[in-house]
């Protein structure tokens, strides 16, 4: 019963009758099972044992061992013939020529494929073996929902997902909202190429990319269009982050409330014991991190700071705003993670 899924399905007919697997989706730990088809292995194993017992019972009246063996071999041969594939099906592995253009472009950057921005089709990862660049999404098990919520909540990314699925239409209001923000996200994630399936052009995906980003078509065929983002036309990476700016969402990865302001001061409350910030240094000369942090008004609060795998230090926060400075390890060209570990967390904002 568990292998049948959360609701009854008979062919294409779904009467909506709940099945036992629906209960597992609401139980701690068991809700991670996700795929009911995994229970089919146990079903097949049990049926194989029952089939063996039935076959033994059917052979019981036959007295001659040789005849039992002949029947067993004959039936086994029929079963093997059922699963025999002659000739063995093969296919030619290869990628379209437009991926050669990506491979020929030197440097370390990100390639986004559509479809594939929020899905993980196998061919997307196979394409990576040809072009050798970073891809926006890959296969990983048990990714925390807060990580996927971060990436799929970004400007540029969220509209692309919704346009691809046909959930939204390409409107002047959407373009006006994304034009100032999409280039910042493209710079932050170091996106240089988009490979777009032509089937999604009618949903506005191509028009959206060509209107909100400085792009040029560098290759295309009957199935796909390759867009290159003109890096020189993207905004530069900032030296400071304003927590209240519209683009600040891409820096505050997890463990933060929405932006608030107190007069001219913009800030975000930490709402989890571990809060993370994603950063990219604008130049190799940046070797110092400066944070302005205010603790909760009640009690004392201590902070442990990690930058990637490096422990920068611990600090006890004084009342009011604290300016904290740390020397940074050598720069990485990719996005770097700052992790703030709080000794305690309180509900400080109605937005929590």
């Amino acid at each position: 019963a568990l292998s049948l899924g959360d609701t009854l399905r008979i062919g294409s007919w779904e009467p909506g009758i709940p099945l036992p697997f629906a209960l597992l989706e609401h139980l701690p730990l068991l809700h991670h099972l996700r795929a009911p088809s995994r229970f089919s292995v146990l079903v097949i194993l049990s049926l194989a044992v029952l089939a063996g017992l039935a076959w033994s019972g059917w052979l019981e009246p036959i007295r001659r061992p040789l005849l039992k063996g002949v029947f067993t071999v004959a039936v086994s041969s029929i079963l093997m013939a059922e699963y025999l594939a002659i000739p063995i099906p093969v296919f030619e592995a290869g990628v379209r020529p437009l991926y050669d253009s990506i491979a020929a472009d030197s440097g370390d950057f990100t390639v986004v494929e559509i479809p594939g921005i929020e899905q993980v089709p196998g061919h997307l990862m196979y394409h990576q073996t040809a072009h050798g660049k970073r891809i926006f999404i890959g296969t990983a098990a048990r990714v925390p929902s807060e990580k996927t919520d971060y990436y799929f909540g970004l400007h540029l990314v969220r509209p692309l997902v919704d346009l691809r699925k046909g959930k939204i239409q390409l409107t002047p209001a959407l373009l006006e909202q994304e034009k100032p923000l999409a280039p910042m996200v493209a710079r932050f994630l170091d996106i240089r190429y988009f490979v777009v399936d032509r089937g999604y052009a009618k949903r506005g995906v191509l028009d959206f990319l060509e209107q909100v980003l400085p792009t040029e078509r560098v290759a295309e065929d009957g199935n796909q269009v390759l867009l290159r983002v003109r890096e020189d036309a993207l905004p530069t990476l900032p030296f400071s982050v304003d927590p209240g700016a519209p683009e600040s969402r891409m820096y505050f990865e997890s463990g933060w409330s929405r932006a608030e302001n107190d007069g001219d001061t913009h800030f975000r409350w930490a709402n989890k014991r571990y809060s993370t910030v994603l950063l990219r240094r604008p130049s190799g000369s940046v070797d110092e991190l400066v944070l302005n942090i205010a603790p909760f008004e009640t009690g004392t609060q201590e902070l442990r700071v990690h930058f990637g795998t490096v422990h920068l230090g611990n600090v006890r926060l004084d009342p009011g705003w604290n300016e904290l400075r740390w020397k940074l390890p050598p720069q990485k060209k990719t996005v770097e993670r700052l992790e703030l570990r709080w000794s305690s967390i309180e509900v400080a904002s109605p937005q929590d």
Side-chain angles (χ1 to χ4, degrees), residues 9-27:
R9 295 177 179 84
I10 304 175
S12 59
W13 181 50
E14 297 186 24
I17 301 174
L19 295 177
F21 190 83
L23 178 63
L24 299 186
E25 296 177 342
H26 302 283
L27 297 178

Side-chain angles (χ1 to χ4, degrees), residues 217-268:
R217 297 194 182 194
V218 294
E220 54 186 298
D221 55 28
N223 297 298
Q224 294 176 309
V225 176
L226 178 62
L227 299 178
R228 189 182 193 279
V229 180
R230 291 188 289 109
E231 190 178 8
D232 59 337
L234 294 176
T236 58
L237 293 169
F239 282 85
S240 62
V241 175
D242 178 1
E247 72 277 7
S248 64
R249 172 70 177 81
M250 64 185 176
Y251 301 110
F252 293 88
E253 182 188 28
S254 62
W256 302 97
S257 68
R258 288 174 294 174
E260 300 182 37
N261 65 282
D262 182 8
D264 294 332
T265 302
H266 300 133
F267 61 91
R268 292 175 184 256

Side-chain angles (χ1 to χ4, degrees), residues 62-339:
I62 302 175
R63 301 298 182 186
R64 298 175 60 181
L66 179 61
L67 194 56
K68 287 184 178 182
V70 170
F71 279 126
T72 301
V73 170
V75 172
S76 299
S77 299
I78 293 173
L79 291 175
M80 292 177 62
E82 175 70 19
Y83 290 98
L84 193 62
I86 297 178
I88 298 176
V90 295
F91 64 93
E92 183 179 354
V95 299
R96 290 190 172 93
L98 59 82
Y99 291 97
D100 296 335
S101 301
I102 301 176
D105 195 341
S106 61
D108 183 11
F109 51 82
T110 304
V111 178
V112 176
E113 294 199 42
I114 300 172
I117 190 168
E118 91 291 358
Q119 299 175 323
V120 194
H123 64 264
L124 185 150
M125 290 181 289
Y126 180 71
H127 294 161
Q128 188 183 34
T129 66
H131 61 65
K133 310 302 181 183
R134 299 176 185 271
I135 55 178
F136 185 77
I137 191 170
T139 297
R142 306 293 187 267
V143 177
S145 59
E146 61 188 25
K147 304 300 182 185
T148 55
D149 290 345
Y150 165 76
Y151 282 102
F152 296 144
L154 293 177
H155 289 282
L156 176 62
V157 177
R158 185 74 256 166
L160 279 175
V161 172
D162 291 340
L163 285 169
R164 187 199 71 80
K165 292 182 175 180
K167 289 185 175 181
I168 61 174
Q169 300 294 321
L170 184 61
T171 62
L174 177 63
L175 293 173
E176 183 180 357
Q177 169 190 288
E178 292 296 316
K179 279 183 178 179
L181 301 173
M184 296 181 183
V185 176
R187 168 69 76 180
F188 186 69
L189 298 179
D190 207 6
I191 299 174
R192 190 174 299 180
Y193 286 97
F194 288 90
V195 183
V196 184
D197 190 300
R198 285 187 180 275
Y200 295 100
K202 61 184 178 182
R203 296 185 180 178
V205 172
L206 268 175
D207 288 340
F208 173 77
L209 288 172
E210 291 181 318
Q211 292 190 58
V212 303
L213 291 175
T215 61
E216 56 185 355
R217 297 194 182 194
V218 294
E220 54 186 298
D221 55 28
N223 297 298
Q224 294 176 309
V225 176
L226 178 62
L227 299 178
R228 189 182 193 279
V229 180
R230 291 188 289 109
E231 190 178 8
D232 59 337
L234 294 176
T236 58
L237 293 169
F239 282 85
S240 62
V241 175
D242 178 1
E247 72 277 7
S248 64
R249 172 70 177 81
M250 64 185 176
Y251 301 110
F252 293 88
E253 182 188 28
S254 62
W256 302 97
S257 68
R258 288 174 294 174
E260 300 182 37
N261 65 282
D262 182 8
D264 294 332
T265 302
H266 300 133
F267 61 91
R268 292 175 184 256
W269 289 105
N271 55 22
K272 291 186 178 180
R273 290 289 297 273
Y274 289 2
S275 302
T276 56
V277 179
L278 299 183
L279 301 170
R280 281 196 68 197
R281 301 186 219 184
S283 72
S285 63
V286 177
D287 62 356
E288 185 179 46
L289 173 68
V290 181
L291 297 178
N292 287 310
I293 299 179
F296 293 106
E297 294 182 355
T298 58
T300 59
Q301 194 172 18
E302 296 181 356
L303 178 63
R304 184 180 178 91
V305 182
H306 289 257
F307 194 81
T309 59
V310 178
H311 175 214
L312 295 182
N314 302 339
V315 63
R316 179 186 292 266
L317 299 175
D318 296 323
W321 288 100
N322 297 253
E323 183 178 275
L324 309 176
R325 295 175 177 266
W326 287 279
K327 285 291 184 181
L328 294 177
Q331 180 188 15
K332 295 182 178 180
K333 293 183 179 179
T334 58
V335 174
E336 298 174 284
R337 176 176 282 105
L338 172 69
E339 184 177 278

